[in-house]
């Protein structure tokens, strides 16, 4: 019997085409780039011809590689269909990233909503910050990600928005104009942090970062401890142990964007996008002005319309 095509190697070969390269295929398959290269060499030994070639800094398929790609897709589809008919098919796993701001309070409901959009898939969640999630999706380590704000060279579709709120401990009030105002924020890079500084300094305060954290829980804990004010997007209203500062100018809302890795079935992102739009439209609680309170100072508001435009992702 002659040499046989290996199904694992064929899946790797298809992943190279779908993900746009060896490195991204390795990330999507949760393996190493040398392993991907080894699988290609194994297929080349069976076929007896080169399947990929260098074109400057890029790698592209040879004519034999293009032919094998068509056959690989056909063989893998037949194999998977047969396994499914035999009852031996295994659910595919989708790794979905989400920002803590969107998922922290609504994670069980969000997971249930996505599962309804992705029947037959196991969904694994990963919570992180938008720049990291966007980078991992571009690399193919994540299948999809829900991020805050549109990001250059990432693409995606808007599925909702989160209201931005100034949050602080119940007994905390901003100091008089001209004094130092303590701010609690994420570590850089963070567009919301820069927006908060721009707005507050534009109003006349000298902003001092008293606490910076790597995750949402750290920012919330510092704000609850009275260490300063934080500008955050939130779902389901104001988090426990905090109040919304209506003394500071409203900052509107930021869009939530769903991005998918290269090669992901477009139907998956489309179905997920539809479900997420319905989900976030039902759970968002708008910012409601608080009743009049005894303020310790009076704000002299200025036009800050330029401060809320073109916000970068947090």
């Amino acid at each position: 019997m002659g040499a046989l095509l290996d199904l694992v190697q064929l899946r790797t070969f298809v992943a190279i085409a779908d993900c746009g390269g060896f490195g991204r295929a390795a990330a999507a398959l949760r393996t190493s780039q040398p392993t991907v290269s080894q699988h290609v060499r194994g297929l080349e030994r069976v076929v007896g011809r080169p399947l990929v070639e260098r074109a400057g800094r890029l790698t592209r398929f040879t004519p034999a590689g293009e032919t094998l790609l068509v056959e690989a897709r056909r063989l893998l589809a037949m194999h998977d269909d047969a396994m499914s008919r035999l009852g031996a098919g295994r659910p595919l796993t989708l790794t979905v990233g989400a920002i803590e701001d969107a998922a922290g309070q609504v994670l069980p409901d969000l997971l249930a909503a996505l599962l309804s959009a992705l029947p037959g898939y196991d969904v694994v969640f990963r919570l992180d910050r938008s720049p990291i999630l966007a980078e991992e999706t571009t690399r193919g380590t994540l299948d999809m990600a829900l991020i805050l704000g549109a990001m250059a060279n990432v693409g995606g579709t808007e599925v909702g928005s989160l209201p931005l709120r100034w949050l602080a401990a119940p007994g905390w009030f901003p100091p008089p104009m001209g004094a130092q105002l303590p701010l609690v924020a994420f570590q850089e890079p963070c567009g919301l942090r820069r927006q908060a500084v721009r707005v507050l300094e534009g109003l006349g305060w000298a902003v001092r970062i008293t606490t910076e954290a790597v995750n949402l829980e750290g920012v919330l804990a510092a704000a609850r401890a009275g260490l300063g004010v934080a500008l955050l997007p939130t779902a389901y209203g104001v988090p426990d142990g905090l109040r919304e500062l209506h003394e500071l100018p409203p900052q509107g809302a930021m869009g939530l964007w769903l991005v998918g890795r290269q090669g992901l079935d477009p139907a998956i992102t489309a179905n997920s996008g539809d479900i997420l739009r319905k989900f976030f439209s039902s759970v968002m609680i708008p910012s409601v002005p608080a009743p009049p309170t005894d303020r310790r100072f009076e704000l002299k508001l200025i036009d800050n319309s330029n401060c809320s435009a073109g916000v970068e992702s947090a």
Side-chain angles (χ1 to χ4, degrees):
M1 181 180 293
L4 301 175
L5 291 170
D6 185 287
L7 290 177
V8 174
Q9 293 176 351
L10 290 176
R11 287 196 192 279
T12 299
F13 196 69
V14 170
I16 294 171
D18 289 345
C19 297
F22 280 53
R24 291 180 178 179
L29 294 170
R30 278 62 168 176
T31 189
S32 65
Q33 189 165 332
T35 299
V36 171
S37 299
Q38 183 180 6
H39 287 179
V40 172
R41 289 195 296 271
L43 291 172
E44 288 178 333
R45 285 194 294 270
V46 173
V47 175
R49 283 175 287 175
L51 300 174
V52 295
E53 61 185 4
R54 284 285 182 182
R57 299 178 61 182
L58 301 177
T59 301
R60 66 186 182 189
F61 293 121
T62 64
E66 295 287 356
T67 300
L68 179 62
L69 181 61
V70 173
E71 297 298 334
R73 293 188 190 279
R74 185 176 63 84
L75 288 171
L76 291 172
M78 292 175 61
H79 171 270
D80 294 344
D81 287 345
M83 294 296 286
S84 179
R85 288 194 298 272
L86 291 169
R90 299 175 60 183
L92 300 176
T93 298
L94 284 176
T95 306
V96 180
I99 56 168
E100 294 174 291
D101 312 76
Q105 297 170 289
V106 297
L107 184 58
D109 296 335
L110 182 60
L111 178 57
L114 272 178
L115 287 175
S116 70
L118 303 167
Y121 288 90
D122 284 338
V123 179
V124 177
F125 262 101
R126 176 179 163 189
L127 301 183
D128 216 318
R129 297 171 60 193
S130 293
I132 296 173
L133 295 175
E135 179 183 354
E136 294 295 319
T137 306
T138 301
R139 290 173 49 197
T141 306
L142 291 175
D143 294 303
M144 291 187 298
L146 184 65
I147 64 174
L148 191 64
M151 299 184 68
N153 303 319
V154 174
T157 180
E158 190 168 6
V159 295
S161 63
L162 293 178
L164 295 176
R165 293 184 169 96
W166 298 102
L167 301 174
W172 191 95
F173 287 87
M177 291 293 187
Q180 280 195 339
L181 187 146
L183 180 68
V184 176
F186 286 104
Q187 287 183 354
E188 291 283 22
C190 178
L192 281 176
R193 169 177 170 158
R194 293 189 287 276
Q195 179 180 353
V197 171
R198 286 196 302 267
V199 172
L200 296 173
E201 288 183 344
L203 289 168
W205 279 292
V207 177
R208 180 171 66 92
I209 306 294
T210 58
T211 306
E212 56 180 17
V214 297
N215 55 36
L216 178 63
E217 209 45 56
V219 174
L220 293 176
R224 288 188 181 109
L227 298 180
V229 62
L231 178 63
L232 292 173
T234 61
Y236 285 160
V238 177
D240 292 339
L242 294 168
R243 78 176 183 96
E244 183 172 359
L245 271 69
H246 297 278
E247 298 90 343
L248 298 179
Q251 296 300 298
M254 287 192 71
L256 289 166
W257 288 71
L258 181 67
V259 298
R261 64 168 173 81
Q262 184 175 348
L264 184 65
D265 184 351
I268 292 177
T269 52
N271 291 340
S272 300
D274 290 342
I275 289 293
L276 289 175
R277 271 185 284 272
K278 295 176 183 177
F279 175 77
F280 282 109
S281 66
S282 68
V283 302
M284 294 303 105
I285 296 181
S287 177
V288 178
T293 58
D294 182 16
R295 300 181 182 177
R296 292 167 48 187
F297 70 98
E298 190 163 339
L299 283 178
K300 182 179 179 182
L301 295 182
I302 65 173
D303 179 11
N304 71 313
S305 58
N306 291 330
C307 295
S308 60
V311 178
E312 300 170 53
S313 295

